[in-house]
Structures are given as structure tokens and as C-alpha cells.
Amino acid sequence: MSMWTAGCAWGVWVLILAAGAGAQEAGDDGPVARLRLDHHVGVRPLTVRFDASAGTGGTGGVATYRWEVAGRVIGDGAQAEHRFDTAGDHAVTLTVTDAAGRSARESAVVTVAERAWRPGPGPVDEAEARRFLWQAAFGPSPDDLAFVTEHGFAVWIDRQLGLRPTLMTERFARSRGREPGDDFQTPWLIDDLMVGGPDQLRQRTAWALAQVIPINAEAAIDNEEAFHGGLRRLYGVFLRHALPAERYGSRGRYDDLLVELTFNSAVAHWLTYKNSTRAVAEFGTRPDENYARELMQLFTIGVVALRPDGTPVRDAEGRPVPNYTNDDVKAFARVFTGMIDGDASEDEPFASTAEPVNWLVDDHDFGAKQLLVYPGVTPRRGRIPATRRGDRTERRARQEVRSAIGNLVHHPSHPPFLARRMIQRFTTSNPTPGYVRRVADAYAGRGPFGRGQRGDLAAMVRAVLLDDEARNPAYRRNPQHGLVLEPVRVLVGAARAYGLHEPAPFVPTTDLEMFWEMQELTGQGPFLTPSVFNFYLPDFSPPDTRLRALGLVAPELQVLDEHRALAGLAFMADSCWNLISAYRDGFWGDGFGVSEDPAALVAAVAGPLDHGWLDDTTRRALARAVRGFRDPEARAYAALYLTLGHPDFRVLR
């Protein structure tokens, strides 16, 4: 068997199994079962509601519904409800039959825990510590693993909150005069920050936020000479605001992050409100509406109104209630007028396109603006009053921006909207409504993790990582729980697990070449998001899969098509292989001696990457696969390639 043959076989396996492919196939006119459930995990006693209305009825429509739990019928309508009183994994089966007697079936698993997990001091089981560090950090380093195992999850979080940010701008200032364009610079984003940065919780939170507010740095910074300095500044904004940082005057607040990004020249260029001007009939000008729409739709409240648990608010006819109208977009667009490029800085004269904006005050719309109205609205009555001519200053224009962002951040839909997206970036793609509500409460300053401050990102992240749904080992068995590791987390996590951090470029190519190659081959190049909708949509569900049949989503699979399943895996395996060869002498044993024993080889490769599912059964399968390679180097590479691509590694539960 050739290495390429093995790679094709296992790459396709990643694509199919991770996507949950194998959804039922029905005839052209036959019924199709679609099973929706509001909880797939929880603590006993757990009441779960089921819904079959998303299915299709075939000829004559659906004649009968049959819901079963463990072989016992629990309902015969389009909806059903069942209370689970015993802990364990419970199979739920839906069978629909049409008027012609043809049937279709779909099933799901509900996992019920005996009791809720509660945070406490260490020690922690090593397997659970590894799983935690794949969620809370970019993978486990030996030092972090030892600390979590001894002291526990909460103490590690507390320690992380006390660390100062690792910033590219400061590292560049200590580089003693190297010129922009040197190969070493921007890979620090991956090597010195994501891989080697001690402030891992901040790095992970900043990366998560950079996917809630996605930026394509190449498009945002339209001066090639400004790219390096601009990227350093852009990511620094996310890093400083991701968690509190007293040294930099950061409260760790989401509204502060939005405000500073809004006042950034690169963001203004990327989201097209740079040079946006007030409406002037005689010149035919009007404010650019792009940022106003994206700020509401993608960054703060979403299109439809949400309950505190993230489920949609519906009207009397069952339709989702919209959060805003096009008139609201127009009102917000008037706020973001008058901003132009910032000034060049003395230390980096080419970085003006990523500096704070300047203002043409005459281009700002100082008229009265009606923003969104809701209970407890801010500002008062949701209005920004008109500004008298003598008070029309840059300071007043900036205050209007802060008021507009405050109006959205205090909207009741905002906490659950952001909570779900942050949960998806850390722990699971399909959080239950209860999980969303608990995290939203912490963000709003309430609950056991809340600290009385709305917009508190540290409280939100703590709630995400220490919630029962994130930490309870019982839920790991549920096949609908968890997430697919995105390419950046795979690559950076492997580098951390194998100890591949060195004061040198992450790969032997220039920064832009590396990011472009990652984007092309894996679908995810850092700060090269193809659109403001991120690399993947939060509600993406692969077509023709059981995931879609169950109403579940897997955002990361939107970048894992047939090409990237193979090319992306090869890119990540090659990167790790080259780094191991460069920085880890003896990793493979003298002359690939460890390859002589397939079991020992797999243990060396899979052990550091294991977050709970690379167990003995999986390792034996990997050992059998690599045994067919005669050449020691080919066998070692195959072990690395197949482990990085195995569903038991790529799916984090």
C-alpha cells in the first residue's frame, strides 16, 4: 500500500465520519424522517421535547408517527415529550409512515448524567486535563498539563487571568531594528503567540472573538508595506480586550473591543464605512449601510429576537420576530460617518491603514437618530439627540458611536447571541438552551460566574469552560456532543503537544505565503477570512448527513470539502513533520528506530494528541495501518498523517 493510497482512504474517512454522513435515503416519493430534540445531554431527571415537523410525508403525507425510547412507544404525534429518570445513554427512534405504507426512520441519542459536574480544586485526571486544554488553550503543553492535573481547571483559569498579554507589537519592538518584510515577523502570530504564548486562555479567547468579528487583513490593509505592522496592531486589539489587562487599561469588555475596532482604519476599510459621509441631496451622497447591518446581524444581536436561552422569539403565527428593520439600519449607518484613514506612526510609517481613524467632522451626521427600543434601553428612549452646530466636534461624533454600540450590547438578544457563538468556538457546536442561558447570564453579570458587569468576557469564558455541559465526563459518550477541530486548532495544538516552539519562523516560508497556503489548502488562513461571515457559518450543517437530519450543525465542516480533507491534512502533516525534523532530534529514535515497533510508533505520535478518544482500540487500528509501510521514514510519516486525520482526534467531545 502506497502512502498516497493510505492518505486518500483515511482523508475521505475524516470527511465522511466527521460529517456524520449516512443520512437516510428515501425514494423520490417516500417519507423522510427528521428528528429534532431540544436537549441531547442533561442531568436526571431530564425532560426532552421531540419534533418531527421538519420531515416530509411522501405520497399522501404522513399517516403515522411513532416515537420509541429503548423499544417503548412514548408518542404518536408530530411532537412528543419524554422524561428520562435514569442516567446513561438512551436511544430515541422516530418512525414515520406515509399513506402508501412506506416508512422512514431516524434516531438520536440522549445522554443523561447522574449529577451535575461542580468545579473544585485539583487534582484532575490526566485525560480530563488534556481535554480541558484542547478546549481552553491551543492544546496541552507539558507545563500546562502538569499544572491542571495538580491544581484543577478553575485554578488554571485564575492563573491565566493574571498573566499579561503576549503581544506581537511588543515583541517586534524588542527585535532591534529588523525591517518590515523579514520572514520572521508575522509567523509570531502562530509560533510566539498561539504556540508559545504562556497566556493561552487570552490567545484562545482572542482567536474566538476574531471569528465572531472576522477580518481579512489583506483586504483591510491595502498597502503591502503596511501589512506586517497592521496585522500586529489588529490582533493586538483582540488580545488586549479578550480578558482584563490592567497594564493596558483593558476591562475585558466586549463593547470596548467593538468600539476600538470601529475606530480602526483597517476595519473601517474592510467594512466599507471609511469615508462614509452624511446624506447631502445636492451631491447625491448617503451613508454607507454595510457596517451598520453587519454590526447588528453578525456582531451583536442577530436577525431575529432571542429569548435568554438563545431560542427564537415567535409571534402568534409561530414566525420568528425580527430584531430590526431596514429603517433601523439606515439610522445606525448615520452614526458611522465622517471617519477617514489614521495617521502614520513614528515607529512604523507604513502602518497608517491600521491606526486609529481621523475624522472629517463636517462629514459626520449630527442629526437626531432613533436607535432600537427595548425594556431598559440605553441611551434613554433609544435616541441620540441632534447636536447643536457649535458642539459638532470629533468628541461628540465618537460619543455617538459609543452610544450606538451600547444600544446593541444592552439589547436583550445580545448575551444569548454572543454566548452561543463563543460556546461553539470552545466546547460544542450544539449547546443546549440551558447552556446558552447560563453563559449569557455570566456575560450579563448574573449567576455563579457573573460579576455584576455586563459585557464581561472573562466571566463568559469561565462559564463556557466550567459549565456542566463542558466538563461532565458523562457527555463525552454522546455522538451529538462536541465539535470538529478547525485547521488552526489542529496545527497549533499539534505544535504545542509535540513541543515544537522555537524562536524561529513556524514554517520556512514568508508570512503571507504561509497564510495563503493555509487558506488555499485548509480553508483557514489566519486573518484571511473570505468574508465577514467568517470561514464558516455558525449554523452550517453538511447536506445529506445525519447531522442535518437531526437538526444539528458542524460549522467547521464547511471548509472540509473533498479537496481540503486531503490537501489540508497533507499541509498540516508536512508542517509538523518538518518541525519535528528541525527541532526534535531523537523524536523518532535513532534512524527512525521507533518505527520498527508500530505500537510504540503510534504511542509516540498519538499519545501527546490524545484528548480522550485515541484509545487502545484506535491505536491498534493505526498500528495495523502503518505496519504495511516498509520504509521507516514512510512509516513514521504515515503514523503522523493518519493520526492527525483520524476522527477520534479531529472530533473533540
Side-chain angles (χ1 to χ4, degrees):
M1 178 173 62
S2 70
M3 186 181 298
W4 175 245
T5 303
C8 283
W10 283 62
V12 172
W13 189 22
V14 170
L15 177 65
I16 294 176
L17 293 191
Q24 63 172 28
E25 296 182 4
D28 292 341
D29 299 320
V32 175
R34 293 287 184 264
L35 191 165
R36 305 289 190 264
L37 62 169
D38 64 347
H39 286 76
H40 57 279
V41 297
V43 179
R44 76 176 190 93
L46 177 67
T47 298
V48 181
R49 288 181 288 274
F50 307 98
D51 191 328
S53 59
T56 56
T59 303
V62 174
T64 64
Y65 297 91
R66 180 184 177 93
W67 297 92
E68 297 175 84
V69 173
R72 182 167 66 88
V73 177
I74 63 166
D76 58 4
Q79 287 82 34
E81 183 176 289
H82 183 71
R83 171 172 154 158
F84 296 88
D85 291 312
T86 60
D89 298 324
H90 304 271
V92 179
T93 303
L94 164 68
T95 304
V96 296
T97 305
D98 67 8
R102 290 172 295 187
S103 296
R105 177 176 294 184
E106 191 55 81
S107 61
V109 175
V110 175
T111 299
V112 181
E114 180 68 29
R115 62 184 61 86
W117 181 88
R118 292 287 183 266
V124 172
D125 175 79
E126 182 177 326
E128 287 302 313
R130 287 183 177 278
R131 174 176 175 247
F132 171 78
L133 289 169
W134 275 103
Q135 295 171 333
F138 276 108
S141 69
D143 289 344
D144 279 330
L145 183 61
F147 187 92
V148 173
T149 303
E150 180 178 356
H151 299 287
F153 311 121
V155 178
W156 183 86
I157 292 175
D158 290 339
R159 184 193 192 199
Q160 287 284 309
L161 291 173
L163 297 178
R164 62 179 291 179
T166 306
L167 302 175
M168 285 191 291
T169 49
E170 293 187 351
R171 294 193 170 225
F172 176 69
R174 294 194 295 268
S175 66
R176 301 185 183 278
R178 296 191 184 183
E179 293 296 323
D182 285 357
D183 290 352
F184 80 95
Q185 289 184 42
T186 306
W188 279 353
L189 169 65
I190 289 183
D191 187 45
D192 279 0
L193 273 65
M194 293 180 175
V195 178
D199 55 333
Q200 280 291 296
L201 185 62
R202 182 181 298 274
Q203 300 295 331
R204 279 283 290 112
T205 304
W207 177 243
L209 291 168
Q211 293 193 66
V212 176
I213 311 172
I215 297 173
N216 185 309
E218 185 182 12
I221 306 167
D222 56 354
N223 183 327
E224 184 176 349
E225 293 177 287
F227 180 85
H228 302 279
L231 180 56
R232 283 192 290 273
R233 279 163 167 70
L234 271 178
Y235 199 42
V237 176
F238 286 98
L239 286 168
R240 284 187 285 104
H241 292 293
L243 298 173
E246 184 176 348
R247 174 186 175 92
Y248 301 98
S250 169
R251 302 179 294 175
R253 293 260 299 261
Y254 189 71
D255 51 346
D256 292 342
L257 171 65
L258 277 176
V259 167
E260 184 166 348
L261 286 174
T262 301
F263 293 149
N264 183 283
S265 296
V267 178
H269 180 75
W270 164 239
L271 298 178
T272 72
Y273 60 95
K274 185 179 75 174
N275 301 323
S276 178
T277 184
R278 62 188 174 89
V280 180
E282 59 184 300
F283 298 129
T285 62
R286 64 177 185 175
D288 185 284
E289 298 176 8
N290 193 44
Y291 184 55
R293 194 179 308 276
E294 288 158 348
L295 183 63
M296 289 191 279
Q297 176 185 351
L298 302 176
F299 306 159
T300 55
I301 62 175
V303 175
V304 301
L306 301 175
R307 295 189 178 92
D309 64 3
T311 56
V313 176
R314 299 185 182 277
D315 61 19
E317 284 73 41
R319 296 170 299 192
V321 175
N323 258 334
Y324 55 86
T325 67
N326 200 52
D327 286 340
D328 296 320
V329 173
K330 292 179 182 295
F332 274 88
R334 294 170 56 206
V335 175
F336 306 108
T337 51
M339 286 179 267
I340 62 173
D341 262 341
D343 295 324
S345 62
E346 293 182 3
D347 60 330
E348 292 194 77
F350 296 111
S352 61
T353 54
E355 289 294 313
V357 296
N358 282 324
W359 290 77
L360 288 179
V361 175
D362 287 346
D363 285 348
H364 181 74
D365 186 333
F366 284 102
K369 305 171 187 71
Q370 180 61 58
L371 307 180
L372 302 181
V373 178
Y374 47 83
V377 64
T378 184
R380 188 179 180 186
R381 295 194 297 272
R383 285 182 59 80
I384 295 178
T387 302
R388 293 178 300 181
R389 184 170 297 277
D391 296 331
R392 295 178 180 180
T393 62
E394 177 182 326
R395 180 179 179 181
R396 175 61 185 170
R398 288 178 177 273
Q399 182 56 50
E400 288 196 4
V401 171
R402 293 187 179 93
S403 294
I405 289 174
N407 178 258
L408 295 173
V409 168
H410 282 82
H411 192 282
S413 289
H414 174 61
F417 175 88
L418 185 62
R420 181 171 181 266
R421 277 152 180 74
M422 292 297 279
I423 292 169
Q424 287 184 312
R425 301 277 55 81
F426 280 94
T427 57
T428 184
S429 296
N430 296 279
T432 67
Y435 191 7
V436 172
R437 180 165 193 159
R438 293 187 293 272
V439 172
D441 281 347
Y443 175 75
R446 302 186 296 268
F449 297 110
R451 300 185 296 180
Q453 174 181 279
R454 192 178 185 88
D456 188 341
L457 291 168
M460 167 176 272
V461 171
R462 191 188 294 271
V464 168
L465 294 170
L466 297 181
D467 190 82
D468 172 69
E469 207 161 313
R471 298 270 60 83
N472 203 321
Y475 304 144
R476 299 191 70 176
R477 300 189 304 268
N478 188 286
Q480 296 126 211
H481 191 63
L483 52 79
V484 177
L485 288 172
E486 60 189 306
V488 165
R489 288 176 72 176
V490 171
L491 187 58
V492 177
R496 281 180 57 79
Y498 292 140
L500 303 180
H501 173 61
E502 291 288 336
F506 186 69
V507 293
T509 60
T510 64
D511 42 12
L512 278 177
E513 288 174 352
M514 173 193 173
F515 293 168
W516 283 331
E517 190 174 11
M518 286 185 67
Q519 179 63 34
E520 179 182 357
L521 299 179
T522 73
Q524 191 179 42
F527 280 91
L528 289 178
T529 174
S531 78
V532 75
F533 293 95
N534 193 25
F535 302 101
Y536 31 71
L537 298 174
D539 293 321
F540 175 77
S541 185
D544 302 320
T545 65
R546 292 199 63 222
L547 283 174
R548 181 166 289 192
L550 295 174
L552 302 175
V553 302
E556 296 83 359
L557 292 182
Q558 193 167 5
V559 301
L560 192 65
D561 56 23
E562 291 87 346
H563 166 68
R564 287 170 175 160
L566 301 177
L569 178 56
F571 172 82
M572 290 184 284
D574 288 349
S575 297
C576 289
W577 177 267
N578 292 335
L579 287 166
I580 289 171
S581 301
Y583 302 140
R584 290 292 308 275
D585 289 340
F587 183 89
W588 304 112
D590 294 336
F592 294 93
V594 70
S595 300
E596 296 176 1
D597 181 350
L601 173 62
V602 169
V605 172
L609 299 179
D610 188 14
H611 48 69
W613 289 100
L614 290 170
D615 56 16
D616 290 343
T617 300
T618 300
R619 295 188 193 197
R620 284 194 293 269
L622 288 167
R624 286 194 298 271
V626 303
R627 187 174 287 116
F629 294 88
R630 297 183 181 276
D631 178 70
E633 182 173 340
R635 180 180 286 182
Y637 180 87
L640 178 64
Y641 181 100
L642 299 181
T643 303
L644 288 175
H646 200 288
D648 288 348
F649 166 63
R650 294 293 290 273
V651 180
L652 175 63
R653 297 213 296 249

